[in-house]
């Protein structure tokens, strides 16, 4: 997949992606790379937390978390990242678009929602917004 034109990129930035769906992980990984970012992919919240706590490699610039996963849901992971890394942009990804989910996410402080299935342009736009929030 070639790099996407018009998307601001920085290969030094690491995006962490956590989703329990294999196909989505594979496709999203390719899209994140095409947007010009480095990426690490996880199939469970526990694996993501283990990776972050061991400080393997470079520090993450943003995290994309699936809202509904069997071992640990996106809300629990979001709260973990807010406590542990309060300035790290956390993007919640969901295939369920309804007012209750949006309201619940905003109530706990979620600023960035990514609705499945998302395009590479939508992923790039949300990543750029999230990453720009840390460039002060």
């Amino acid at each position: 997949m070639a790099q996407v034109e018009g998307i601001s990129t920085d290969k030094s930035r690491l995006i962490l992606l956590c989703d329990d769906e294999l196909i989505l992980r594979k496709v999203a990984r390719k899209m994140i790379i095409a947007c010009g970012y480095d990426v690490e992919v996880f199939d469970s919240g526990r694996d993501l937390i283990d990776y972050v706590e061991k400080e393997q490699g470079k520090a993450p610039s943003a995290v994309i978390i699936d809202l509904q996963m069997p071992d640990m849901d996106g809300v629990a992971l979001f709260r973990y990242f807010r406590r542990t890394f309060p300035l790290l942009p956390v993007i919640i990804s969901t295939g369920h678009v309804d007012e209750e989910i949006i309201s619940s996410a905003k109530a706990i402080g979620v600023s960035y929602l990514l609705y499945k299935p998302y395009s590479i342009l939508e992923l790039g736009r949300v990543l750029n917004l999230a990453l720009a929030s840390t460039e002060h």
Side-chain angles (χ1 to χ4, degrees), residues 66-94:
D66 185 18
L67 184 61
Q68 295 180 317
M69 294 184 291
D71 75 321
M72 181 182 294
D73 69 13
V75 172
L77 276 170
F78 178 83
R79 288 185 173 137
Y80 164 81
F81 280 102
R82 274 298 143 261
R83 276 190 320 273
T84 313
F85 305 96
L87 300 178
L88 182 67
V90 178
I91 300 164
I92 298 291
S93 173
T94 183

Side-chain angles (χ1 to χ4, degrees), residues 7-75:
I7 293 180
S8 170
T9 62
D10 183 348
K11 197 67 172 161
S12 68
R13 293 197 170 206
L14 174 63
I15 310 302
L16 303 179
L17 171 73
C18 187
D19 198 298
D20 62 321
E21 294 179 48
L22 176 61
I23 298 299
L24 190 124
R25 284 194 312 271
K26 287 181 175 185
V27 172
R29 180 183 177 281
K30 288 180 180 182
M31 289 194 295
I32 292 167
I33 290 168
C35 287
Y37 301 108
D38 196 6
V39 62
E40 290 289 338
V41 180
F42 305 89
D43 63 358
S44 76
R46 184 77 268 171
D47 289 346
L48 173 59
I49 289 173
D50 288 347
Y51 175 88
V52 170
E53 289 183 349
K54 290 177 184 171
E55 299 180 50
Q56 300 173 8
K58 61 185 166 186
S61 297
V63 181
I64 302 172
I65 300 168
D66 185 18
L67 184 61
Q68 295 180 317
M69 294 184 291
D71 75 321
M72 181 182 294
D73 69 13
V75 172

